[in-house]
Amino acid sequence: LEAIGHPTEKVELLILGGTWSAYPRAYQRWFVQRCLEALNGCEAPSLNSAQAANEGAGHRNVGMVIETRPDCISPSEIAHLRRLGVTKVQLGAQSLDDELLRRNRRGHKLSETQQAMRLLRAAGFKIVLHWMPNLLGATPQTDREDFARIWALEDVRPDELKIYPTQLLPGTGLAESWQRGEYAPYTRPVLVDLLADIKLLIPRYCRVNRVVRDIPSHHVIEGNRRTSLRQDVLRTLAERGRQCSCIRCREVRSGNVLETGLRPESISYAAAGGTEHFLALETSEDRLAGYLRLWLPGEQSPQPTLADLAQAGIIREVHVYGPSLPLGEPSNGAAQHAGLGARLVDWGERVAGQAGFPRVAVIAAIGTRPYYRRLGYHLGESYMIKSLGSGGRRVRSSTEVH
């Protein structure tokens, strides 16, 4: 990456493929420690030592992502993930329809997806949901209905989304169903039409990371083989005179932004028994320069099992867009390093304080801890903590989307 001109001072570590939670915990600790040692450029006697060294390393970990199943999430698993330094969890739900889950032998139910997302949100994790149209037993209409449930159900509403249209591969049970005439992959026009329809349902607070899985076309027996499916969908939307409002479709990329010209947008919605606040800074062209996710627990939220989270509003994510810049380099008009992160954190603290929360906890990645210390935070057990004073009377925030 350095050889082709990329700054590598800030590294997000994604550990994907399979079910992370199925590996022995001793192996998980070893694996994460070795990854951090690679970033640090030296070995360490323990995982804690490797984490401490990474706070000031030349290649800092600014996010750690694992992939698991809904039925693997528990309070014990969440505490373990925090000890590893995980900040984001990708959850393989695939469908919110129990009958489809049963027919496709997923081994979990909607209720387990809802409970997993409640626990993850209450612990501050960023949540990526995996969803698959064209499963065995689905139709384009039932897929549209299932996709709408993602946003209708208070205990779902993910931060990010990966859409994986089912692809028919040799040697699978689904291929056998296809051979028996029990399953038919959607044609490309049907699939593109479906994806164009559901993309318009995605709220402004969610990012769509994928709309297709990059499986080489020669492995696919029948159905979609195009890896450029996202472009096909966006082209279809443009032909209809419509456009998606998800984060990926709006984010600032290489263009410059002026901090003084940004407008704030606040979206509040019910989630996990509390209220999620999506606080965004946007350009006049509706391009997203940065945002913060703040979750305020309510009376029906899961009780915190981690001491850092007691009586705290939780900053789950602070993200500033634009070209990646080396640490300490001036922004020169780019969104990064222009003070937008500090501005968003201050905004989140004010929202939490006005709701009566005496402190804020940030699920900060290991390499971002020094940044939060400069903003007045200190390290608790595994979260960065800041006291907001006594605060006012705790009130319920609006659960409407504005």
PDB file of all heavy atoms in Angstrom, residues 10-38:
ATOM      1  N   LYS A  10      -3.281   4.843   9.488  1.00  0.00           N
ATOM      2  CA  LYS A  10      -4.570   4.464  10.080  1.00  0.00           C
ATOM      3  C   LYS A  10      -5.084   3.231   9.363  1.00  0.00           C
ATOM      4  O   LYS A  10      -5.339   3.261   8.159  1.00  0.00           O
ATOM      5  CB  LYS A  10      -5.571   5.620   9.971  1.00  0.00           C
ATOM      6  CG  LYS A  10      -5.152   6.848  10.768  1.00  0.00           C
ATOM      7  CD  LYS A  10      -6.102   8.010  10.578  1.00  0.00           C
ATOM      8  CE  LYS A  10      -5.923   8.698   9.250  1.00  0.00           C
ATOM      9  NZ  LYS A  10      -6.723   9.938   9.129  1.00  0.00           N
ATOM     10  N   VAL A  11      -5.234   2.138  10.089  1.00  0.00           N
ATOM     11  CA  VAL A  11      -5.579   0.850   9.492  1.00  0.00           C
ATOM     12  C   VAL A  11      -6.822   0.289  10.160  1.00  0.00           C
ATOM     13  O   VAL A  11      -6.868   0.129  11.386  1.00  0.00           O
ATOM     14  CB  VAL A  11      -4.420  -0.159   9.645  1.00  0.00           C
ATOM     15  CG1 VAL A  11      -4.831  -1.529   9.130  1.00  0.00           C
ATOM     16  CG2 VAL A  11      -3.176   0.341   8.928  1.00  0.00           C
ATOM     17  N   GLU A  12      -7.837  -0.001   9.350  1.00  0.00           N
ATOM     18  CA  GLU A  12      -8.997  -0.738   9.852  1.00  0.00           C
ATOM     19  C   GLU A  12      -8.763  -2.218   9.567  1.00  0.00           C
ATOM     20  O   GLU A  12      -8.484  -2.605   8.437  1.00  0.00           O
ATOM     21  CB  GLU A  12     -10.288  -0.275   9.172  1.00  0.00           C
ATOM     22  CG  GLU A  12     -11.527  -0.971   9.739  1.00  0.00           C
ATOM     23  CD  GLU A  12     -12.823  -0.523   9.093  1.00  0.00           C
ATOM     24  OE1 GLU A  12     -12.797  -0.106   7.915  1.00  0.00           O
ATOM     25  OE2 GLU A  12     -13.865  -0.591   9.763  1.00  0.00           O
ATOM     26  N   LEU A  13      -8.854  -3.024  10.596  1.00  0.00           N
ATOM     27  CA  LEU A  13      -8.585  -4.454  10.494  1.00  0.00           C
ATOM     28  C   LEU A  13      -9.906  -5.208  10.398  1.00  0.00           C
ATOM     29  O   LEU A  13     -10.723  -5.160  11.314  1.00  0.00           O
ATOM     30  CB  LEU A  13      -7.786  -4.916  11.714  1.00  0.00           C
ATOM     31  CG  LEU A  13      -7.483  -6.408  11.815  1.00  0.00           C
ATOM     32  CD1 LEU A  13      -6.590  -6.849  10.670  1.00  0.00           C
ATOM     33  CD2 LEU A  13      -6.813  -6.715  13.161  1.00  0.00           C
ATOM     34  N   LEU A  14     -10.135  -5.883   9.275  1.00  0.00           N
ATOM     35  CA  LEU A  14     -11.348  -6.667   9.068  1.00  0.00           C
ATOM     36  C   LEU A  14     -10.982  -8.149   9.051  1.00  0.00           C
ATOM     37  O   LEU A  14     -10.197  -8.596   8.212  1.00  0.00           O
ATOM     38  CB  LEU A  14     -12.023  -6.298   7.744  1.00  0.00           C
ATOM     39  CG  LEU A  14     -12.683  -4.919   7.658  1.00  0.00           C
ATOM     40  CD1 LEU A  14     -11.655  -3.844   7.314  1.00  0.00           C
ATOM     41  CD2 LEU A  14     -13.768  -4.920   6.582  1.00  0.00           C
ATOM     42  N   ILE A  15     -11.546  -8.891   9.987  1.00  0.00           N
ATOM     43  CA  ILE A  15     -11.305 -10.334  10.080  1.00  0.00           C
ATOM     44  C   ILE A  15     -12.596 -11.006   9.631  1.00  0.00           C
ATOM     45  O   ILE A  15     -13.540 -11.158  10.403  1.00  0.00           O
ATOM     46  CB  ILE A  15     -10.935 -10.750  11.514  1.00  0.00           C
ATOM     47  CG1 ILE A  15      -9.790  -9.881  12.050  1.00  0.00           C
ATOM     48  CG2 ILE A  15     -10.551 -12.220  11.559  1.00  0.00           C
ATOM     49  CD1 ILE A  15      -9.487 -10.076  13.515  1.00  0.00           C
ATOM     50  N   LEU A  16     -12.654 -11.397   8.354  1.00  0.00           N
ATOM     51  CA  LEU A  16     -13.909 -11.838   7.759  1.00  0.00           C
ATOM     52  C   LEU A  16     -13.782 -13.243   7.174  1.00  0.00           C
ATOM     53  O   LEU A  16     -12.688 -13.737   6.932  1.00  0.00           O
ATOM     54  CB  LEU A  16     -14.345 -10.866   6.658  1.00  0.00           C
ATOM     55  CG  LEU A  16     -14.489  -9.397   7.064  1.00  0.00           C
ATOM     56  CD1 LEU A  16     -14.974  -8.566   5.884  1.00  0.00           C
ATOM     57  CD2 LEU A  16     -15.446  -9.250   8.241  1.00  0.00           C
ATOM     58  N   GLY A  17     -14.940 -13.847   6.952  1.00  0.00           N
ATOM     59  CA  GLY A  17     -14.994 -15.190   6.394  1.00  0.00           C
ATOM     60  C   GLY A  17     -15.238 -16.202   7.491  1.00  0.00           C
ATOM     61  O   GLY A  17     -14.501 -16.280   8.471  1.00  0.00           O
ATOM     62  N   GLY A  18     -16.312 -16.967   7.371  1.00  0.00           N
ATOM     63  CA  GLY A  18     -16.621 -17.929   8.417  1.00  0.00           C
ATOM     64  C   GLY A  18     -17.230 -17.253   9.637  1.00  0.00           C
ATOM     65  O   GLY A  18     -17.621 -16.089   9.598  1.00  0.00           O
ATOM     66  N   THR A  19     -17.292 -17.998  10.734  1.00  0.00           N
ATOM     67  CA  THR A  19     -17.883 -17.507  11.979  1.00  0.00           C
ATOM     68  C   THR A  19     -16.778 -17.322  13.005  1.00  0.00           C
ATOM     69  O   THR A  19     -16.268 -18.295  13.568  1.00  0.00           O
ATOM     70  CB  THR A  19     -18.951 -18.489  12.498  1.00  0.00           C
ATOM     71  OG1 THR A  19     -19.964 -18.657  11.507  1.00  0.00           O
ATOM     72  CG2 THR A  19     -19.591 -17.964  13.785  1.00  0.00           C
ATOM     73  N   TRP A  20     -16.398 -16.081  13.248  1.00  0.00           N
ATOM     74  CA  TRP A  20     -15.297 -15.782  14.170  1.00  0.00           C
ATOM     75  C   TRP A  20     -15.531 -16.405  15.537  1.00  0.00           C
ATOM     76  O   TRP A  20     -14.613 -16.958  16.156  1.00  0.00           O
ATOM     77  CB  TRP A  20     -15.141 -14.275  14.275  1.00  0.00           C
ATOM     78  CG  TRP A  20     -14.179 -13.794  15.310  1.00  0.00           C
ATOM     79  CD1 TRP A  20     -14.474 -13.197  16.501  1.00  0.00           C
ATOM     80  CD2 TRP A  20     -12.744 -13.856  15.263  1.00  0.00           C
ATOM     81  NE1 TRP A  20     -13.322 -12.887  17.191  1.00  0.00           N
ATOM     82  CE2 TRP A  20     -12.244 -13.283  16.443  1.00  0.00           C
ATOM     83  CE3 TRP A  20     -11.840 -14.342  14.321  1.00  0.00           C
ATOM     84  CZ2 TRP A  20     -10.901 -13.185  16.718  1.00  0.00           C
ATOM     85  CZ3 TRP A  20     -10.477 -14.244  14.590  1.00  0.00           C
ATOM     86  CH2 TRP A  20     -10.030 -13.672  15.780  1.00  0.00           C
ATOM     87  N   SER A  21     -16.766 -16.342  16.018  1.00  0.00           N
ATOM     88  CA  SER A  21     -17.065 -16.819  17.373  1.00  0.00           C
ATOM     89  C   SER A  21     -16.867 -18.325  17.518  1.00  0.00           C
ATOM     90  O   SER A  21     -16.816 -18.833  18.643  1.00  0.00           O
ATOM     91  CB  SER A  21     -18.503 -16.460  17.750  1.00  0.00           C
ATOM     92  OG  SER A  21     -18.730 -15.075  17.635  1.00  0.00           O
ATOM     93  N   ALA A  22     -16.778 -19.071  16.415  1.00  0.00           N
ATOM     94  CA  ALA A  22     -16.625 -20.521  16.487  1.00  0.00           C
ATOM     95  C   ALA A  22     -15.177 -20.936  16.782  1.00  0.00           C
ATOM     96  O   ALA A  22     -14.932 -22.086  17.150  1.00  0.00           O
ATOM     97  CB  ALA A  22     -17.089 -21.163  15.178  1.00  0.00           C
ATOM     98  N   TYR A  23     -14.234 -20.004  16.635  1.00  0.00           N
ATOM     99  CA  TYR A  23     -12.839 -20.346  16.926  1.00  0.00           C
ATOM    100  C   TYR A  23     -12.578 -20.308  18.425  1.00  0.00           C
ATOM    101  O   TYR A  23     -13.200 -19.529  19.153  1.00  0.00           O
ATOM    102  CB  TYR A  23     -11.897 -19.363  16.222  1.00  0.00           C
ATOM    103  CG  TYR A  23     -11.869 -19.505  14.724  1.00  0.00           C
ATOM    104  CD1 TYR A  23     -12.633 -18.669  13.912  1.00  0.00           C
ATOM    105  CD2 TYR A  23     -11.077 -20.470  14.108  1.00  0.00           C
ATOM    106  CE1 TYR A  23     -12.620 -18.800  12.528  1.00  0.00           C
ATOM    107  CE2 TYR A  23     -11.048 -20.600  12.726  1.00  0.00           C
ATOM    108  CZ  TYR A  23     -11.828 -19.759  11.950  1.00  0.00           C
ATOM    109  OH  TYR A  23     -11.812 -19.893  10.589  1.00  0.00           O
ATOM    110  N   PRO A  24     -11.645 -21.106  18.933  1.00  0.00           N
ATOM    111  CA  PRO A  24     -11.302 -21.051  20.365  1.00  0.00           C
ATOM    112  C   PRO A  24     -10.824 -19.648  20.744  1.00  0.00           C
ATOM    113  O   PRO A  24     -10.112 -18.994  19.977  1.00  0.00           O
ATOM    114  CB  PRO A  24     -10.167 -22.083  20.490  1.00  0.00           C
ATOM    115  CG  PRO A  24     -10.347 -23.005  19.319  1.00  0.00           C
ATOM    116  CD  PRO A  24     -10.885 -22.158  18.208  1.00  0.00           C
ATOM    117  N   ARG A  25     -11.229 -19.203  21.916  1.00  0.00           N
ATOM    118  CA  ARG A  25     -10.875 -17.836  22.321  1.00  0.00           C
ATOM    119  C   ARG A  25      -9.374 -17.633  22.458  1.00  0.00           C
ATOM    120  O   ARG A  25      -8.864 -16.542  22.195  1.00  0.00           O
ATOM    121  CB  ARG A  25     -11.605 -17.482  23.623  1.00  0.00           C
ATOM    122  CG  ARG A  25     -13.096 -17.254  23.404  1.00  0.00           C
ATOM    123  CD  ARG A  25     -13.793 -16.742  24.624  1.00  0.00           C
ATOM    124  NE  ARG A  25     -15.193 -16.413  24.321  1.00  0.00           N
ATOM    125  CZ  ARG A  25     -16.052 -15.938  25.204  1.00  0.00           C
ATOM    126  NH1 ARG A  25     -15.666 -15.740  26.462  1.00  0.00           N
ATOM    127  NH2 ARG A  25     -17.289 -15.656  24.843  1.00  0.00           N
ATOM    128  N   ALA A  26      -8.654 -18.673  22.863  1.00  0.00           N
ATOM    129  CA  ALA A  26      -7.191 -18.545  22.964  1.00  0.00           C
ATOM    130  C   ALA A  26      -6.593 -18.267  21.581  1.00  0.00           C
ATOM    131  O   ALA A  26      -5.674 -17.458  21.438  1.00  0.00           O
ATOM    132  CB  ALA A  26      -6.585 -19.817  23.560  1.00  0.00           C
ATOM    133  N   TYR A  27      -7.134 -18.929  20.557  1.00  0.00           N
ATOM    134  CA  TYR A  27      -6.674 -18.681  19.191  1.00  0.00           C
ATOM    135  C   TYR A  27      -7.030 -17.262  18.755  1.00  0.00           C
ATOM    136  O   TYR A  27      -6.220 -16.584  18.107  1.00  0.00           O
ATOM    137  CB  TYR A  27      -7.294 -19.701  18.232  1.00  0.00           C
ATOM    138  CG  TYR A  27      -7.033 -19.391  16.782  1.00  0.00           C
ATOM    139  CD1 TYR A  27      -5.795 -19.673  16.191  1.00  0.00           C
ATOM    140  CD2 TYR A  27      -8.003 -18.780  16.000  1.00  0.00           C
ATOM    141  CE1 TYR A  27      -5.545 -19.379  14.860  1.00  0.00           C
ATOM    142  CE2 TYR A  27      -7.761 -18.476  14.662  1.00  0.00           C
ATOM    143  CZ  TYR A  27      -6.536 -18.775  14.104  1.00  0.00           C
ATOM    144  OH  TYR A  27      -6.292 -18.460  12.794  1.00  0.00           O
ATOM    145  N   GLN A  28      -8.225 -16.804  19.092  1.00  0.00           N
ATOM    146  CA  GLN A  28      -8.634 -15.449  18.734  1.00  0.00           C
ATOM    147  C   GLN A  28      -7.682 -14.416  19.334  1.00  0.00           C
ATOM    148  O   GLN A  28      -7.268 -13.461  18.665  1.00  0.00           O
ATOM    149  CB  GLN A  28     -10.062 -15.193  19.209  1.00  0.00           C
ATOM    150  CG  GLN A  28     -11.116 -16.020  18.509  1.00  0.00           C
ATOM    151  CD  GLN A  28     -12.505 -15.731  19.053  1.00  0.00           C
ATOM    152  OE1 GLN A  28     -12.767 -14.661  19.604  1.00  0.00           O
ATOM    153  NE2 GLN A  28     -13.405 -16.688  18.921  1.00  0.00           N
ATOM    154  N   ARG A  29      -7.364 -14.602  20.619  1.00  0.00           N
ATOM    155  CA  ARG A  29      -6.447 -13.647  21.278  1.00  0.00           C
ATOM    156  C   ARG A  29      -5.088 -13.658  20.605  1.00  0.00           C
ATOM    157  O   ARG A  29      -4.489 -12.598  20.384  1.00  0.00           O
ATOM    158  CB  ARG A  29      -6.332 -13.994  22.770  1.00  0.00           C
ATOM    159  CG  ARG A  29      -7.587 -13.670  23.575  1.00  0.00           C
ATOM    160  CD  ARG A  29      -7.338 -13.805  25.059  1.00  0.00           C
ATOM    161  NE  ARG A  29      -7.145 -15.211  25.444  1.00  0.00           N
ATOM    162  CZ  ARG A  29      -8.122 -16.025  25.833  1.00  0.00           C
ATOM    163  NH1 ARG A  29      -9.374 -15.598  25.869  1.00  0.00           N
ATOM    164  NH2 ARG A  29      -7.866 -17.271  26.185  1.00  0.00           N
ATOM    165  N   TRP A  30      -4.582 -14.856  20.279  1.00  0.00           N
ATOM    166  CA  TRP A  30      -3.295 -14.966  19.601  1.00  0.00           C
ATOM    167  C   TRP A  30      -3.347 -14.276  18.243  1.00  0.00           C
ATOM    168  O   TRP A  30      -2.433 -13.538  17.867  1.00  0.00           O
ATOM    169  CB  TRP A  30      -2.932 -16.443  19.449  1.00  0.00           C
ATOM    170  CG  TRP A  30      -1.715 -16.680  18.591  1.00  0.00           C
ATOM    171  CD1 TRP A  30      -0.411 -16.664  18.998  1.00  0.00           C
ATOM    172  CD2 TRP A  30      -1.699 -16.941  17.183  1.00  0.00           C
ATOM    173  NE1 TRP A  30       0.428 -16.909  17.922  1.00  0.00           N
ATOM    174  CE2 TRP A  30      -0.341 -17.076  16.797  1.00  0.00           C
ATOM    175  CE3 TRP A  30      -2.696 -17.065  16.214  1.00  0.00           C
ATOM    176  CZ2 TRP A  30       0.035 -17.343  15.483  1.00  0.00           C
ATOM    177  CZ3 TRP A  30      -2.315 -17.327  14.902  1.00  0.00           C
ATOM    178  CH2 TRP A  30      -0.965 -17.466  14.538  1.00  0.00           C
ATOM    179  N   PHE A  31      -4.418 -14.521  17.490  1.00  0.00           N
ATOM    180  CA  PHE A  31      -4.534 -13.964  16.139  1.00  0.00           C
ATOM    181  C   PHE A  31      -4.553 -12.439  16.180  1.00  0.00           C
ATOM    182  O   PHE A  31      -3.831 -11.777  15.423  1.00  0.00           O
ATOM    183  CB  PHE A  31      -5.820 -14.499  15.488  1.00  0.00           C
ATOM    184  CG  PHE A  31      -5.967 -14.143  14.036  1.00  0.00           C
ATOM    185  CD1 PHE A  31      -5.560 -15.024  13.047  1.00  0.00           C
ATOM    186  CD2 PHE A  31      -6.506 -12.931  13.647  1.00  0.00           C
ATOM    187  CE1 PHE A  31      -5.691 -14.695  11.701  1.00  0.00           C
ATOM    188  CE2 PHE A  31      -6.646 -12.587  12.311  1.00  0.00           C
ATOM    189  CZ  PHE A  31      -6.228 -13.482  11.335  1.00  0.00           C
ATOM    190  N   VAL A  32      -5.357 -11.842  17.064  1.00  0.00           N
ATOM    191  CA  VAL A  32      -5.440 -10.389  17.150  1.00  0.00           C
ATOM    192  C   VAL A  32      -4.116  -9.811  17.626  1.00  0.00           C
ATOM    193  O   VAL A  32      -3.655  -8.776  17.115  1.00  0.00           O
ATOM    194  CB  VAL A  32      -6.598  -9.972  18.076  1.00  0.00           C
ATOM    195  CG1 VAL A  32      -6.543  -8.470  18.357  1.00  0.00           C
ATOM    196  CG2 VAL A  32      -7.939 -10.341  17.445  1.00  0.00           C
ATOM    197  N   GLN A  33      -3.485 -10.469  18.598  1.00  0.00           N
ATOM    198  CA  GLN A  33      -2.191  -9.984  19.059  1.00  0.00           C
ATOM    199  C   GLN A  33      -1.173  -9.962  17.927  1.00  0.00           C
ATOM    200  O   GLN A  33      -0.429  -8.984  17.769  1.00  0.00           O
ATOM    201  CB  GLN A  33      -1.664 -10.864  20.200  1.00  0.00           C
ATOM    202  CG  GLN A  33      -0.302 -10.411  20.730  1.00  0.00           C
ATOM    203  CD  GLN A  33       0.190 -11.238  21.896  1.00  0.00           C
ATOM    204  OE1 GLN A  33      -0.614 -11.811  22.638  1.00  0.00           O
ATOM    205  NE2 GLN A  33       1.502 -11.336  22.059  1.00  0.00           N
ATOM    206  N   ARG A  34      -1.160 -11.020  17.098  1.00  0.00           N
ATOM    207  CA  ARG A  34      -0.208 -11.064  15.998  1.00  0.00           C
ATOM    208  C   ARG A  34      -0.505  -9.980  14.952  1.00  0.00           C
ATOM    209  O   ARG A  34       0.413  -9.408  14.362  1.00  0.00           O
ATOM    210  CB  ARG A  34      -0.225 -12.453  15.351  1.00  0.00           C
ATOM    211  CG  ARG A  34       0.325 -13.549  16.253  1.00  0.00           C
ATOM    212  CD  ARG A  34       1.792 -13.345  16.573  1.00  0.00           C
ATOM    213  NE  ARG A  34       2.647 -13.705  15.441  1.00  0.00           N
ATOM    214  CZ  ARG A  34       3.914 -13.331  15.305  1.00  0.00           C
ATOM    215  NH1 ARG A  34       4.478 -12.544  16.221  1.00  0.00           N
ATOM    216  NH2 ARG A  34       4.613 -13.711  14.266  1.00  0.00           N
ATOM    217  N   CYS A  35      -1.781  -9.704  14.738  1.00  0.00           N
ATOM    218  CA  CYS A  35      -2.131  -8.617  13.808  1.00  0.00           C
ATOM    219  C   CYS A  35      -1.608  -7.278  14.333  1.00  0.00           C
ATOM    220  O   CYS A  35      -1.062  -6.474  13.574  1.00  0.00           O
ATOM    221  CB  CYS A  35      -3.654  -8.549  13.632  1.00  0.00           C
ATOM    222  SG  CYS A  35      -4.358  -9.888  12.640  1.00  0.00           S
ATOM    223  N   LEU A  36      -1.798  -7.044  15.619  1.00  0.00           N
ATOM    224  CA  LEU A  36      -1.320  -5.789  16.211  1.00  0.00           C
ATOM    225  C   LEU A  36       0.205  -5.723  16.190  1.00  0.00           C
ATOM    226  O   LEU A  36       0.786  -4.655  15.975  1.00  0.00           O
ATOM    227  CB  LEU A  36      -1.850  -5.647  17.635  1.00  0.00           C
ATOM    228  CG  LEU A  36      -3.361  -5.440  17.759  1.00  0.00           C
ATOM    229  CD1 LEU A  36      -3.784  -5.431  19.219  1.00  0.00           C
ATOM    230  CD2 LEU A  36      -3.793  -4.139  17.082  1.00  0.00           C
ATOM    231  N   GLU A  37       0.850  -6.859  16.426  1.00  0.00           N
ATOM    232  CA  GLU A  37       2.310  -6.876  16.357  1.00  0.00           C
ATOM    233  C   GLU A  37       2.789  -6.528  14.951  1.00  0.00           C
ATOM    234  O   GLU A  37       3.810  -5.845  14.781  1.00  0.00           O
ATOM    235  CB  GLU A  37       2.832  -8.258  16.777  1.00  0.00           C
ATOM    236  CG  GLU A  37       2.676  -8.530  18.269  1.00  0.00           C
ATOM    237  CD  GLU A  37       3.008  -9.961  18.652  1.00  0.00           C
ATOM    238  OE1 GLU A  37       3.098 -10.816  17.735  1.00  0.00           O
ATOM    239  OE2 GLU A  37       3.159 -10.225  19.844  1.00  0.00           O
ATOM    240  N   ALA A  38       2.055  -6.976  13.951  1.00  0.00           N
ATOM    241  CA  ALA A  38       2.415  -6.628  12.570  1.00  0.00           C
ATOM    242  C   ALA A  38       2.294  -5.126  12.353  1.00  0.00           C
ATOM    243  O   ALA A  38       3.142  -4.510  11.685  1.00  0.00           O
ATOM    244  CB  ALA A  38       1.511  -7.378  11.594  1.00  0.00           C
TER     245      ALA A  38
END
